Amino acid sequence: MLGFMDYVQNAFYKASHWNQDNSYSTLTATAQSLLDFETPRGLRLNVSALSSPNYATSYTLGSIGVVDGSLSYLYSSLALRENAKSEHIDLHNVIQGYRHLQELRRPDEPWWWEVWQGGKRVDRRDTLLYGRLFLPHSTLEALYLRRLSPTQQLKISCVSDARLKSGGTILALFQHDVGKFSSEYLYSTDSALLGFRGLYNFGPDPREPATKPPSADALDGLYGRFSAGAELYYGVLNKSGGVSTGIRFTTLPRHTGFPYTMTLTLNPLMGNLSSTYSVKAGPSLALCSRFDFNVYSYESDLQLGCELWRINRRNELDWVHAKLGTPKKEGEHVTGILKGRIDQNWNIGVLWEGRIKELLFSMGTTFDITRQDQPFRTVGLELQYSS
């Protein structure tokens, strides 16, 4: 489950019209949500508040052998109107599950962002500032996020910790997204790392208005999107690099059958090949499989996962929607989700997330059934309250 500050940051992306899914870093996001979900460790309590549309605070207290916690503060120059109360938050916005990608949106025109007053431009670019202090180790995280233009964004994150080399690290990321394709350039002070990521979407260009009816071949492309991308990294100090490439096909809302997503990624230097297939088999059920293979060592790995949303059918407004013939909101009856995964070595993970009264909860465990003496690896419970 997303933390409250991550939820507020996503609200900033949404309000500033930034598409997080149109990036090579999120190429396999659906499979990662269904197979790589994290289970809580120990007991953790989060209390947060969006005191105004521009300010948010969050406090965390946890116990994993020792008591620890964190203090977080966030400022956004763009007013955020998302519902911040944990009692009313749509669970689809805080629980990461199957991602049904939407149609590509045409970027805003630059002059749309201009604000003139008295013959002078007075508009400012939307900015988000975030800081988090971890206790008792006094580790500090900071984030500076700024929208430079309708198609450009700058993100600078840093960590200050005496246990890290040089006392901390800084990561700068410049993102450029025009819909048809996106590119990212990054630099990290850790090993003086330089990197590039790019993603290209085949099919119609959202920047070009449709002047004539689409042909039969073009119409088929409207039901799905084929994307290809790659990333390249090089560490100047340690003289080492990395490269990967991948493709993805996913269905779009126009598709009348079951939504599904297929990906194939390759790391040629390490010889790793990974393929995933995810399908939303029903309104409340999603299934996923991933097969990894190394062409050098011939080692392979298979993982299976699923998610099952719990929907409260007994709602007093159901008969109203039935009488009026109006569609129901997708998230208004959702009360929780159950996730599970298993691999070929019988490592199993189970996660249950949902809402009880005014609290959001996340409870899960990971265990290995081949170990009879100590099968459980992690067990945890996390509670969140926000106002």
Side-chain angles (χ1 to χ4, degrees), residues 154-180:
L154 177 63
K155 184 177 181 180
I156 301 177
S157 56
C158 62
V159 177
S160 176
D161 192 334
R163 296 170 294 180
L164 297 177
K165 185 179 179 180
S166 303
T169 181
I170 299 177
L171 174 64
L173 179 65
F174 175 76
Q175 299 172 290
H176 180 65
D177 181 10
V178 297
K180 182 68 173 179

Side-chain angles (χ1 to χ4, degrees), residues 124-143:
R124 296 182 178 181
R125 295 295 177 253
D126 298 327
T127 305
L128 182 143
L129 301 176
Y130 166 72
R132 185 177 185 182
L133 177 64
F134 293 87
L135 301 173
H137 300 293
S138 298
T139 300
L140 179 64
E141 286 184 353
L143 172 66

Side-chain angles (χ1 to χ4, degrees), residues 113-124:
W113 287 26
E114 296 180 4
V115 179
W116 294 81
Q117 185 175 1
K120 297 182 179 180
R121 286 190 59 177
V122 296
D123 55 284
R124 296 182 178 181

Side-chain angles (χ1 to χ4, degrees), residues 1-15:
M1 180 177 292
L2 290 179
F4 181 78
M5 288 304 186
D6 293 325
Y7 170 74
V8 175
Q9 289 179 37
N10 288 343
F12 177 85
Y13 290 130
K14 181 179 178 181

Side-chain angles (χ1 to χ4, degrees), residues 58-362:
S58 180
Y59 309 95
T60 302
L61 183 64
S63 176
I64 310 176
V66 296
V67 177
D68 61 357
S70 66
L71 309 175
S72 305
Y73 297 92
L74 183 146
Y75 165 77
S76 170
S77 62
L78 178 63
L80 306 177
R81 305 297 180 181
E82 290 290 322
N83 198 331
K85 294 185 177 181
S86 54
E87 181 182 5
H88 304 296
I89 289 178
D90 186 353
L91 293 183
H92 288 93
N93 294 332
V94 293
I95 298 179
Q96 295 176 306
Y98 182 92
R99 290 197 178 189
H100 198 180
L101 300 188
Q102 303 299 311
E103 302 283 354
L104 292 174
R105 178 182 176 274
R106 181 182 179 181
D108 294 342
E109 296 293 340
W111 58 270
W112 292 359
W113 287 26
E114 296 180 4
V115 179
W116 294 81
Q117 185 175 1
K120 297 182 179 180
R121 286 190 59 177
V122 296
D123 55 284
R124 296 182 178 181
R125 295 295 177 253
D126 298 327
T127 305
L128 182 143
L129 301 176
Y130 166 72
R132 185 177 185 182
L133 177 64
F134 293 87
L135 301 173
H137 300 293
S138 298
T139 300
L140 179 64
E141 286 184 353
L143 172 66
Y144 174 81
L145 182 63
R146 186 177 180 87
R147 292 299 310 275
L148 303 178
S149 72
T151 60
Q152 297 177 348
Q153 178 174 271
L154 177 63
K155 184 177 181 180
I156 301 177
S157 56
C158 62
V159 177
S160 176
D161 192 334
R163 296 170 294 180
L164 297 177
K165 185 179 179 180
S166 303
T169 181
I170 299 177
L171 174 64
L173 179 65
F174 175 76
Q175 299 172 290
H176 180 65
D177 181 10
V178 297
K180 182 68 173 179
F181 63 89
S182 67
S183 58
E184 301 173 83
Y185 308 87
L186 63 88
Y187 172 77
S188 174
T189 57
D190 187 12
S191 302
L193 184 69
L194 298 172
F196 168 80
R197 289 194 293 246
L199 181 71
Y200 182 83
N201 298 304
F202 295 86
D205 191 337
R207 296 171 297 177
E208 299 178 358
T211 57
K212 59 181 180 179
S215 61
D217 294 337
L219 190 60
D220 292 338
L222 298 178
Y223 297 99
R225 182 187 305 148
F226 182 76
S227 307
E231 62 180 350
L232 175 66
Y233 296 96
Y234 180 74
V236 178
L237 297 182
N238 55 20
K239 301 297 189 299
S240 63
V243 61
S244 73
T245 183
I247 57 176
R248 177 186 64 195
F249 180 82
T250 183
T251 55
L252 297 176
R254 292 173 178 262
H255 181 67
T256 57
F258 292 117
Y260 63 89
T261 300
M262 300 182 294
T263 66
L264 178 66
T265 56
L266 172 65
N267 187 328
L269 298 182
M270 304 300 296
N272 291 328
L273 183 68
S274 178
S275 62
T276 69
Y277 178 75
S278 308
V279 59
K280 194 168 180 61
S284 58
L285 176 64
L287 306 172
C288 181
S289 64
R290 179 170 59 197
F291 179 73
D292 298 325
F293 180 74
N294 189 283
V295 297
Y296 300 143
S297 64
Y298 297 104
E299 294 181 351
S300 62
D301 184 36
L302 176 65
Q303 282 186 301
L304 303 175
C306 69
E307 66 175 16
L308 181 63
W309 291 84
R310 184 174 183 269
I311 300 178
N312 184 10
R313 300 294 183 182
R314 295 177 299 176
N315 190 284
E316 296 179 357
L317 297 179
D318 284 352
W319 67 272
V320 178
H321 291 290
K323 289 290 186 181
L324 299 179
T326 57
K328 307 173 188 177
K329 294 183 180 179
E330 185 180 0
E332 63 181 357
H333 302 321
V334 173
T335 59
I337 182 177
L338 178 65
K339 289 185 177 182
R341 66 166 181 257
I342 185 173
D343 62 18
Q344 63 184 24
N345 297 319
W346 296 101
N347 295 315
I348 300 176
V350 179
L351 180 65
W352 181 27
E353 297 177 313
R355 175 168 37 222
I356 298 179
K357 300 295 183 179
E358 298 181 358
L359 291 177
L360 300 178
F361 70 89
S362 180

